[in-house]
Amino acid sequence: AKDVRRRRWPFVVIGALACVLVVAAGAFSWDRWLRYDDAAELQGEWQVHGTAATVVIDGEAINITDDVAYPYAIDAGAKTISYAFGNAQGSGRYRFSLDRSQLVIMDGEGYTWWTTLFDDAAWMAGCALDAVQGRAADEAAGEGKTVLDRVSHDAAATPNGAPGGSGA
C-alpha cells in the first residue's frame, strides 16, 4: 500500500496543477472576451491622463474637439483598433484597466490576436502580483501610448481639448 502511494503522488500533484491552470485560463478567457462588451465600454467621456483635456468616444468616432473627430473600428477578439486621420490611417491595440476606469491605446502596426493575448496575459499576471504585494498598478503614458481615464459613460458629452493640451 505504501508503494502505491509513492507512485501515485506525482500524478496527484500534476493533476492538481493542471486543474489550477485550466481554471486560471478559463477565468482569464472569460474576463478577456466574455465579461464585457468592448464596443460599449469604449464609449464615453475620457480624460487624457495627467491633463485637463477630454475626448469623447461614441460608436463611430473619437471626438477630440467639437469639429475634429477620427473614425475608428475595433476588433474585440484581437483587442486591436484602427482609426483614420484624414487621408492617413493608424492602428494599434487597446486594453482596459481591470476596473475599466482606464483605457490604454498603444499605437503601432503588427498587433495580432496572439500578440495581444500574450501581452495581456503577462500584464494580468503582473497586476495579480502587484495586488498580492499591495502595490497599486498605474499605467504611464509614453511614446505611442495614450492613457485615458474614464470621466463618464456619456458618449454625447462635449470634448474639451486635444490630447496633450491644457483643455478649455
Side-chain angles (χ1 to χ4, degrees), residues 1-10:
K2 205 174 208 181
D3 209 23
V4 171
R5 273 194 238 142
R6 278 191 197 150
R7 286 183 286 170
R8 193 178 305 160
W9 78 264

Side-chain angles (χ1 to χ4, degrees), residues 44 97 132 158:
S97 62
V132 167
T158 302

Side-chain angles (χ1 to χ4, degrees), residues 68-154:
V68 177
Y70 301 121
Y72 75 93
I74 64 166
D75 178 340
K79 306 299 181 190
T80 57
I81 185 168
S82 57
Y83 32 84
F85 300 100
N87 292 333
Q89 301 290 320
S91 66
R93 56 116 358 135
Y94 67 91
R95 174 177 60 227
F96 289 97
S97 62
L98 294 177
D99 65 0
R100 307 299 260 199
S101 67
Q102 279 191 328
L103 170 64
V104 180
I105 299 174
M106 291 159 263
D107 293 329
E109 301 291 327
Y111 288 111
T112 67
W113 190 92
W114 288 106
T115 61
T116 62
L117 172 69
F118 291 130
D119 287 349
D120 286 351
W123 173 78
M124 196 170 275
C127 288
L129 186 59
D130 286 345
V132 167
Q133 295 176 346
R135 293 186 302 204
D138 187 30
E139 288 279 355
E143 183 71 28
K145 182 178 177 182
T146 303
V147 179
L148 304 172
D149 300 317
R150 183 176 298 282
V151 175
S152 75
H153 289 275
D154 183 5

